[in-house]
Amino acid sequence: MPKHNNLNKILVIGSGPIVIGQAAEFDYAGTQACLALKEEGIEVVLVNNNPATIMTDQSVADKVYIEPLNVETIEKIISREKPDGMIGTLGGQTGLNLTVELYEKGILDKYDVKLLGTSVESIQKGEDREKFRNLMIEIGEPIPESAIIEDFQSGVEFVKEIGYPVIIRPAYTLGGAGGGFANNDEEFEAVLKQGLTLSPIHQVLVEKSIKGWKEVEYEVMRDENDTCTIVCNMENMDPVGVHTGDSIVVAPSQTLSDVQYQILRNSSLKVIRALNVVGGCNIQFALDTTSNQYYIIEVNPRVSRSSALASKATGYPIARIATKCAIGYHLDEILNPITGNTYASFEPAIDYIVVKLPRFPFDKFSEGDRSLGTQMKATGEVMAMDRSFEGALNKALRSMEMNAHSLYLKSMPGKTKEELVELLKKPTDLRLFAIAEAFKRGFTIEEVISQTEIDRWFLIKVKNIVDCEQKLASHSWEEAPVDLLKTAKRMNIGDRRLSEIFNVPEKEIRLKWKSLNVKRGYKLVDTCAAEFDAVTPYFYSTYQGADEVESSHGKKKILVVGSGPIRIGQGIEFDYCSVHAALAVKKLGFEAIVMNNNPETVSTDYSIADRLYFEPLAVEDIMAVVEKEQVQGVLLQFGGQTAINLANALEDEGVTILGTSMKVIDQLEDRHEFYSLLNELDIPHIAGTTINEPEELVPAAEKLGYPVLIRPSFVIGGQSMFICYNNKEVEKYLTRIMEDGNDRCWPLLVDQYLPGMECEIDVISDGENIVVPGIFEHLEKAGVHSGDSVALFPPVNISDSIKKTLIEYGEKIANHLPIIGMMNIQFVVHNEVVYVLEVNPRSSRTVPIMSKVTGVPMIEWATHVQLGKSLKELSGGSVGLFPEPAYYSVKAPIFSASKLKGVDHVLGPEMKSTGETLGLGVTLEEAFSKALQLSGKVSAKESAAGEEPTIFCSIANRAKEESLDSIKAFAKEGYKVIATEGTAAFLAKHNISSETLAKEKVLLHEFWKNKQPDLVLNIPNEGRDGEKIGFYIRELAVRYQVPYYTSFDTLKPWINLFSSENEEEKPRTLGEYRQLTKLNEVGACQ
Amino acid sequence: MKQGYLVLETGEIFEGKLIGELNNMVGEVVFNTSMTGYQEIITDPSYAGQILTFCYPLIGNYGLNDLDDESFQTAVSGVITGDICEEHSHFQATKGFQERLEQVGVPGLTGVDTRALVKVIRKHHTVKGMITTNPEVASLQDGDDVSQNFWVDTVSVKKPVTYENEGPHIVLMDYGYKKSILHALLQENCKVTVVPYHFSYEQVKELQPEGVLLSNGPGDPMKLQPWFSEIKKITESFPTLGICLGHQLIALAHGATTKKLAFGHRGGNHPVKELLTGKVQMTSQNHGYVVVEDSINYNEFQVLFLNVNDKTVEGIKHNSLPIQSVQFHPEAHPGPSDTEFIFQQFLHQVTTSGGRTYAKA
Ligand SMILES: Nc1ncnc2c1ncn2[C@@H]1O[C@H](COP(=O)(O)OP(=O)(O)O)[C@@H](O)[C@H]1O
Ligand SMILES: Nc1ncnc2c1ncn2[C@@H]1O[C@H](COP(=O)(O)OP(=O)(O)O)[C@@H](O)[C@H]1O
Ligand SMILES: [Mg+2]
Ligand SMILES: [Mg+2]
């Protein structure tokens, strides 16, 4: 059947800010969906408050609402737009939940909006544990026995029924805290009691444990006509017990016989039919290792992280096809875009193997709880393809950009045997490296199996690599046997790893490959194992086969280097930049070649670039593409720190780096040169020095005078950066980074810490002129990382003269160096003096937002100046600081605190947020309220019927004075104040009465259990110390989902709301806000 | 491991490591896109006379077991793979892939860029080759060309074999049947008598079957021309199901023609559309020949299934008689079993026609 009639306007709900478990994959899905709808001539209305996404570009959707993702707002949008239908299964869990709410509140009926694709009944059957359970029993599919338990006794009775082992999963706890496995009565008693106490609602799920079984996923498609296909199945190397999002995953499954593959396939079809899903669906299985018995772990009746992975792994664009199904197409009516001559109603056959590795934040959060379990902790992932597992694994490892770029991790050889065995037993982000180390120390396969429960097949492959590296190590580079070297390359052992083993420079290694004619071949990702001709330029490399890829001729080629896996400090915003760079390159008639290794992103959608190389972003891999494609130049300014860090090596290999020169980049990245540059231009910078030896640190700090801020030389997101107030803290810091053992840390940089106002600008420069679309003012004082601070635009506390200075400094720097392309400058304004904090010679986190709210195509211009255009011709003459819009934009950070146990989410110079939201409004209050979702919180107080609202305060001594005004304001507003001893005493002195609480964990917890405050104000004196009470208070706040503030500044908007009579928030399209801009300009001219 | 070569008549030569036993056979080189099921595939008699290329590079991961062979022989004349798993891992496994090839004396070549080979095959459509230690096209001369052998005669049973059971009695005409076809019937409680391919109508009739199933098998269906008239009589006398080669034989016996496909359908992901419902099913396939659509006599037959990708005939049904046949493999193994309902449909025919034979006297 062709597509449904009378669908002219469709509402798409995005997934909102990036949090652990819900990341860029939904930008990829949403963008595909919007484009798939538009090409059907359907008008697309999009709601998403994540400004860093591609999907919120006006080129992607017809009407873009960057507005809060809550039912109230969406209802307003529906009533304005009157869409004919909506799709809710593309926006992750957020989109799904909102869809269900809209339906249950009768809003869809009220406005007669047709829910397309999977129905709410089906969604609920999939999501609601009870309904799902019953359905599975009905259709005779096995699921592990489980029960919701709310008191100890019934837990004991239930476990009598089902027997051990069991898994206990408490509801709403930090990173699954208090959960765990129990194999016998006393373990059960311990874990259950703990779980019940820790759960705010005293509820846990007790379930038969199937830990250690194989975990396998199937990605299923279904259309209205009940045609079902499997896009791809995937096998987790980590057995059941580690969340699939945290597991090493391969596609297709490797250790399943055809019989087993088909058993699970049949079950998948049975389930998707029973659920009556229309579109895509993800099903997770546990398969016994010694029989064909299996359980269904869960079903996600929507596109998911796994479906993005499956799409990139096979080339089959699930979200796109799911969207077509949602509007009524049958799978056999939709062309397979990869081949162009076959249809979507088939099952991809691949002739390579795919490995996905999760990317964890523990390189930044070294104090975090690294253990992996049923609660996801990875912030991102990388994918690699090759013709062997060894090859794909090595490629994935060098895509990770961690302290390791192979199976070898520096910290491993130092481990004692006991420590090593622990690392094998307890899954953490380090386990893979521990396995390698174990083999190096002669552990047998059997020993490692018994500790890890990982399937022999995977372990043998890992051992193959280790053995090969051992053999290599036994030779010198000069007389290493050629066959052995070739074997190493067939396993795709990295040049960097080889240079480590033989300790010769990488360059020399590559020379040898040339002389031995050891070359990689490129292969097509074609969904069909070469059975049909494919038209899509989507490639991967291998050392196990011929090069089948014709490099195109004619057009000049430009390579855009992507930003790799998503991690804290380098998120989806850089994918936004890479994608727009590629489009800008195309626009000038060049051929755009994109390289990246992140399967979640839009940049690795084969429809963006002219040619997509899904490859690691290591020098050897980039060089290979540069040489193969004979590219004219490489764009490095859009791939975040990842790309910038490559500049040296690439230039060294003779690659043309477009835009700002290498010399200049070094000048900016090297503190020493940077400061002398600023001196030369007489631009003030904060006093600071560089430290090469540990023992120099304390004296230097004393010389500068406390407080000081210490950081490693190369940092992303303020990695291991601290403000220290005394020698003790400095010493503590030292020991910590020594342990991390990342030599990119040294030398260390020590600055005076100035608590001034922070602001930043993104500058586009052609070396003669600059364009600054706007200035972002930070709400919090300097000392809170730019990525974690609330930022507003246009600024409200920056005088015109200061603005002039900011731009002047920007001009000086840009013209002097010169900067060709983009840079991001962060300033601290302290006592009317403007200090330059740092200059990032690249596009930054704020670029997508600034581009959207001003309408200036920043990336396009920045790309075109690097390709030789002049700014003036691009901007139509206008340069310098652009006029400010007549509306406000407020960016607010979003943290994944509840996912990361042991991590202290106190604001500081080190970035911790995983995502951001944008609030737009005609008044500052409206923008704030939308960004910080205050209306919800403030009204929460009204809702607490009769009871007076409460604020919980615990303030460090140095901040007590400063805290008075804020606390007064709340007291005045009728808030009851609860405070820890010291704070209470201080408040009493200033006659603010408060209920006092002793600083004791037990008492605190008791108090919270009975009644949670409405908000917490907690200014820590140190932070990041698990033993400190302050940390415990913040943990309670997270666990009980109470908003908490560790900076007065962040609280201001809330306080301001008391005075301002807040009139109702209105949703508007980005276009409508921009209209306001124009009006303003007109006004300005008159 | 010894160096070996796959030499193609078209001149291309692929180098790799030799496994198994050289057999000096020149066969048609074909490829299969399945990612699982290598054991079922190499024991499928339909591959007799062919050198099989696995598109998926990692073969042997889960070893071979005692349950999943599709016949008592390893009919394939040679195997080409990207990589052979030296140490397999599976609770059922009893042997390794390489071990098996050695035991049955079939040569294999591993470490080959099978994707490049597949592209060569597609370029030439049909191409013959041999696995050898001599990297010269000339070596093909001293090989013996088995690609045109009458393989059905080799792989078919020599005399009838009966599997007792309570249910209806089905005669399985053996052109090289896959064990899973037999199992599918036994599953449905059928009593099954497997008979040699050359059994005449009279011989079949003596067994008093209530239905007849024409199995899959290797090679060009026209090689069985001498038996077409008997096959026609059989199909007109008993409820009949044809699978793969069996399907082609039914069509031919009823006056249609067959032709060779450019490079065949071999894999577990072939979409076929059921014309009545418009539903698309995933099927397991292994065939080089197809029934020519416009050669079908539409007064007698209708097309039931079409291939979604190349629109070739995937199944036909007689308008008045209980004759149905499919080009794909409803018995699966390897591959999806989405179409196992074909067997139920067949047995429904068998029971409703109450085992009556309606020979036109
Ligand atoms: N009964 C169980 N026993 C052991 N591990 C389990 C069990 N159920 C789930 N898990 C593990 O927990 C992970 C997350 O569970 P899942 O139901 O998929 O939650 P989510 O919705 O977060 O994906 C799974 O990937 C699996 O590894
Ligand atoms: N000397 C300083 N005084 C006050 N705050 C500082 C100082 N140096 C850095 N900061 C704070 O630390 C944050 C991170 O420092 P920055 O140099 O921007 O590192 P990154 O490279 O991670 O962005 C800044 O946003 C600012 O708030
Ligand atoms: Mg899951
Ligand atoms: Mg910064």
Side-chain angles (χ1 to χ4, degrees), chain A residues 741-808:
Chain A
N742 177 347
D743 39 12
R744 276 176 78 77
C745 285
W746 294 90
L748 292 179
L749 314 167
V750 197
D751 291 350
Q752 234 169 35
Y753 165 66
L754 294 185
M757 179 237 277
E758 183 167 4
C759 56
E760 63 184 293
I761 59 177
D762 289 299
V763 179
I764 309 167
S765 159
D766 61 4
E768 304 192 338
N769 294 295
I770 68 166
V771 163
V772 179
I775 301 168
F776 259 116
E777 171 185 335
H778 293 194
L779 179 62
E780 292 85 356
K781 270 191 232 49
V784 174
H785 190 276
S786 46
D788 285 355
S789 53
V790 175
L792 40 142
F793 170 73
V796 292
N797 298 313
I798 304 181
S799 68
D800 289 353
S801 68
I802 296 278
K803 284 181 189 166
K804 266 185 78 254
T805 318
L806 300 178
I807 303 306
E808 193 187 301

Side-chain angles (χ1 to χ4, degrees), chain A residues 225 227 254 258 260 262 265-266 332 342 345 347 350-351 387 455 457 460 523 526 530-531 533 545-546 548, chain B residues 36 55-56 58 61-62 87 89-90 113-115 122 269-271 273 278 280 282 309 334-338:
Chain A
N225 194 38
T227 293
Q254 294 303 315
D258 184 66
Q260 293 176 311
Q262 301 303 337
R265 183 182 178 282
N266 291 337
D332 57 306
T342 59
S345 59
E347 303 196 340
I350 64 180
D351 54 4
R387 299 258 305 172
D455 189 279
W457 186 88
I460 286 169
K523 302 272 184 202
D526 63 3
E531 185 176 7
D533 289 313
E548 71 176 23
Chain B
T36 54
C55 295
Y56 189 66
L58 308 181
N61 292 1
Y62 52 86
E87 266 189 88
S89 163
H90 197 277
D113 179 354
T114 52
R115 184 177 171 88
R122 281 184 45 219
N269 64 342
H270 290 267
K273 186 164 189 165
V280 177
M282 292 305 125
N309 290 335
S337 49
D338 298 7

Side-chain angles (χ1 to χ4, degrees), chain A residues 671 686 709 711 715-719 721 751-755 758 778 781-786 826 828 837-838 840 842 909:
Chain A
R671 262 300 132 141
I686 295 165
L709 186 137
R711 73 173 74 205
V715 281
I716 314 170
Q719 195 159 331
M721 173 155 30
D751 291 350
Q752 234 169 35
Y753 165 66
L754 294 185
E758 183 167 4
H778 293 194
K781 270 191 232 49
V784 174
H785 190 276
S786 46
Q826 293 166 26
V828 174
L837 206 54
E838 72 158 358
N840 293 310
R842 51 167 171 86

Side-chain angles (χ1 to χ4, degrees), chain A residues 31 128 151 212 275 324 500 507 635 661 768 786 802 810 819 913 960 979 1026 1039 1079 1084:
Chain A
T31 305
D128 178 304
D151 66 276
L275 284 173
K324 299 282 187 188
E500 209 169 50
K507 251 181 140 175
L635 290 167
S661 77
E768 304 192 338
S786 46
I802 296 278
I819 293 288
S913 60
K960 285 200 165 69
R1039 193 190 304 159
L1079 286 176

